[in-house]
């Protein structure tokens, strides 16, 4: 399996622009997670989906952030408008349903976002 | 509320020496505990987990971790460190009564192994 795939790997944009991050989970995984990693705040869970349905979005910082999962093999995280404080590494992760809470999560390589 | 603490921002070890990366946790029920490693410019990789049973858990790359319920700890260990073990290590916890999504990560400990 190719693992979790994220694109782009690096994104540099200017403040006010729309940014879209993409994720393809591991085939057959029912859960998909979006995280943000910064030096100051560490690893933060933004939102997660189960069977394409958002379950918990309490970590989404504000209305500028939105996430969708139109099908089992694709998810997007959108920031509109972007701000310099959004600069971070954004990770997507997935996990299978079988085994429930015993399961580890499988992480993608991340997207490094820089907002100028 | 669930929480996990990694009290050391950085651990320095000489190659060949044993290493320990500390983790303590707080949950209301029984804990499910995980260790992940992150190499530079990479995503997190799963190392090992404790669900139930034997308190000593063995994982990838020669790592092991010991679950101690009375001390609410899950320290990561390796008998002989390698320079290639240098990376960022994350401890994570989930309450047994929690949902599959509710995995709480520590802030990470940077491990530096010198030749």
């Amino acid at each position: 399996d190719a693992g979790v795939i994220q694109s782009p790997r690096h994104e540099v944009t200017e403040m006010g622009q729309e940014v879209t991050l993409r994720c393809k989970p591991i085939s057959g995984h029912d859960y998909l997670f979006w995280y943000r990693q910064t030096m100051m705040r560490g690893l933060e869970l933004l939102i997660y989906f189960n069977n394409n349905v958002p379950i918990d979005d309490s970590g989404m910082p504000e209305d500028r952030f939105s996430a969708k999962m139109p099908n089992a093999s694709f998810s997007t995280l959108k920031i509109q408008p972007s701000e310099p404080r959004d600069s971070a590494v954004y990770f997507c992760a997935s996990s299978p349903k079988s085994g429930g809470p015993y399961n580890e999560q499988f992480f993608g390589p991340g997207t490094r976002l820089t907002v100028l | 509320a669930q929480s996990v603490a990694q009290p050391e921002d950085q651990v320095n070890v000489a190659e060949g020496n044993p290493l320990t990366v500390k983790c303590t946790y707080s949950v209301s029920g029984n804990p499910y505990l995980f260790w992940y490693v992150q190499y530079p410019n990479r995503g997190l990789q799963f190392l090992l987990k404790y669900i139930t049973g034997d308190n000593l858990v063995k994982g990838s790359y020669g790592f092991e971790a010991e679950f101690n319920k009375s001390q609410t700890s899950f320290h990561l260990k390796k008998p002989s460190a390698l320079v290639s073990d240098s990376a960022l290590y994350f401890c994570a916890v989930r309450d047994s009564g929690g949902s599959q999504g509710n995995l709480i990560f520590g802030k990470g400990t940077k491990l530096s192994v010198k030749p």
Side-chain angles (χ1 to χ4, degrees), chain A residues 66-98:
Chain A
S66 62
K68 294 183 179 180
M69 192 165 186
N71 58 62
S73 59
F74 183 65
S75 177
T76 60
L77 178 67
K78 186 175 294 186
I79 308 172
Q80 166 65 15
S82 58
E83 297 182 3
R85 60 192 168 122
D86 302 330
S87 297
V89 181
Y90 291 81
F91 289 104
C92 178
S94 69
S95 70
K97 181 178 181 180
S98 60

Side-chain angles (χ1 to χ4, degrees), chain A residues 32-57:
Chain A
L32 183 138
F33 308 84
W34 282 102
Y35 290 89
R36 177 172 70 176
Q37 184 179 37
T38 61
M39 290 291 292
M40 291 297 294
R41 301 173 69 91
L43 197 63
E44 303 172 277
L45 176 65
L46 300 177
I47 185 172
Y48 79 93
F49 295 82
N50 179 22
N51 290 326
N52 314 335
V53 176
I55 302 301
D56 184 353
D57 65 354

Side-chain angles (χ1 to χ4, degrees), chain A residues 9 37 89 91 108-109 112, chain B residues 36-47 60-63 78 82-90 111:
Chain A
R9 292 294 309 277
Q37 184 179 37
V89 181
F91 289 104
R112 182 175 296 276
Chain B
Y36 287 80
V37 60
Q38 184 181 27
Y39 298 101
N41 301 313
R42 303 286 294 277
L44 277 70
Q45 296 179 34
F46 169 74
L47 275 180
S60 307
Y61 311 121
F63 284 94
K78 187 172 182 180
L82 300 172
V83 173
S84 57
D85 293 329
S86 298
L88 190 57
Y89 290 81
F90 291 92
L111 174 66

Side-chain angles (χ1 to χ4, degrees), chain B residues 44-65:
Chain B
L44 277 70
Q45 296 179 34
F46 169 74
L47 275 180
L48 51 79
K49 64 182 174 184
Y50 171 83
I51 304 300
T52 187
D54 195 346
N55 289 344
L56 185 64
V57 178
K58 295 187 182 297
S60 307
Y61 311 121
F63 284 94
E64 57 189 28

